[in-house]
Amino acid sequence: MPSRFEFERAVRASSLPPLARLLALTIATWANPDTGVIPGKYQPSLSTLMVATGMSKGSLLAHRKTLDERKWVTFTSPSLDDQRRKKARNVYKLHVPAGSAADLATGSADDLDIPDTGSAADRELGQEMNQVGSAADHKSSSTTTASQPDGPRIAINCQPLVTAMQQAGIHVSWELSANEWLQLEAILKRVPLDVLVADAVEAWHRARSTPRLARYFIPGWRGIPAVPEGAPRQPAKPIRHLRPVAGQSPEDRGIF
């Protein structure tokens, strides 16, 4: 079984349909980085995958079938009895089919220092951002991510959002998966920045406990209606910046 890194590189260089690649990379986010194994308690449910990819149930099942038929991701369905009594889920396993991007799948860590303009598949899914925290953070001239000192890599197109959130007093971890960065970039194309920040501040105040991860805000942002380019819109509500509370530590406010 390939490591998660080997699997991701092979998928990005594969001839799989774009949405099948998205599904494969999304499933891989639950895999152990070294072994590529998805622990039982982290096996994603169908509804979880639908939310993570933004696909409908029919589309997801169709692309899952493609991955299974081409031997990229196989899955075992539990019996109806186990589903009902034990709430058992499908068990997904990652594979790299024989002859599929073998040079990438078996590459060594030294390969990461070699400049690479990327294949067509890399340009489509991996050019604008790499998997955060993955060894795929190589020195590529086509990579458009920004490294933060002692922090995660931030997709360039999302940097204004990160900066605006910090200016509003929201300090959270931006260690997101490749799929989550893609979702953020899609959201930024249809929703104004100030609207996203205002929504995040309101969500922060409504939260029962202090949000610590940026992914906490993504479901709410996805639900914001798109604003057509050039269309008049209501002025955004003034952003209610978060203020430090006397005696409250940075950790309590989610700054870490």
Side-chain angles (χ1 to χ4, degrees):
M1 182 173 293
S3 69
R4 173 175 160 182
F5 171 48
E6 292 170 342
F7 176 80
E8 289 171 342
R9 293 194 73 189
V11 168
R12 291 200 306 268
S14 73
S15 60
L16 286 167
L19 288 181
R21 270 180 279 159
L22 171 61
L23 178 57
L25 292 171
T26 300
I27 294 174
T29 61
W30 282 280
N32 180 285
D34 298 321
T35 65
V37 174
I38 303 176
K41 63 180 180 179
Y42 296 131
Q43 289 287 344
S45 65
L46 192 62
S47 58
T48 297
L49 290 174
M50 289 170 61
V51 171
T53 61
M55 296 185 195
S56 65
K57 181 177 180 179
S59 178
L60 192 147
L61 291 177
H63 291 294
R64 188 180 69 174
K65 181 179 179 182
T66 297
L67 294 175
D68 184 53
E69 291 177 341
R70 300 193 187 183
K71 307 301 182 185
W72 284 95
V73 178
T74 58
F75 65 96
T76 304
S77 298
S79 65
L80 290 176
D81 186 56
D82 284 345
Q83 290 181 42
R84 293 168 182 166
R85 297 177 56 187
K86 302 179 182 178
K87 296 184 178 180
R89 301 174 180 175
N90 292 320
V91 175
Y92 293 92
K93 293 183 179 180
L94 309 182
H95 308 276
V96 175
S100 298
D103 55 331
L104 291 179
T106 59
S108 67
D110 295 335
D111 296 335
L112 303 180
D113 293 329
I114 302 176
D116 182 10
T117 56
S119 65
D122 288 332
R123 288 194 294 274
E124 183 174 350
L125 283 178
Q127 186 179 41
E128 295 188 354
M129 27 61 67
N130 284 330
Q131 183 84 23
V132 174
S134 164
D137 296 333
H138 55 85
K139 301 175 182 178
S140 169
S141 60
S142 67
T143 301
T144 55
T145 55
S147 294
Q148 305 243 343
D150 299 322
R153 294 178 68 87
I154 306 296
I156 291 297
N157 293 339
C158 298
Q159 185 62 60
L161 174 62
V162 175
T163 300
M165 292 274 282
Q166 293 172 344
Q167 291 174 346
I170 298 179
H171 298 272
V172 291
S173 171
W174 289 89
E175 292 191 5
L176 304 177
S177 69
N179 176 54
E180 288 168 331
W181 283 120
L182 287 174
Q183 290 184 55
L184 277 184
E185 291 189 335
I187 291 170
L188 282 166
K189 290 179 181 178
R190 64 181 183 81
V191 181
L193 182 63
D194 57 342
V195 174
L196 296 177
V197 176
D199 182 83
V201 171
E202 292 300 320
W204 180 285
H205 284 289
R206 292 194 305 267
R208 294 183 178 179
S209 58
T210 302
R212 294 182 177 275
L213 304 174
R215 64 170 53 93
Y216 173 85
F217 304 102
I218 294 179
W221 287 338
R222 282 205 308 261
I224 299 176
V227 178
E229 186 176 353
R233 63 184 179 88
Q234 300 266 346
K237 295 180 181 179
I239 297 176
R240 186 167 41 148
H241 289 66
L242 301 176
R243 300 295 182 188
V245 178
Q248 189 179 49
S249 69
E251 289 78 11
D252 292 333
R253 288 160 41 216
I255 304 175
F256 62 99

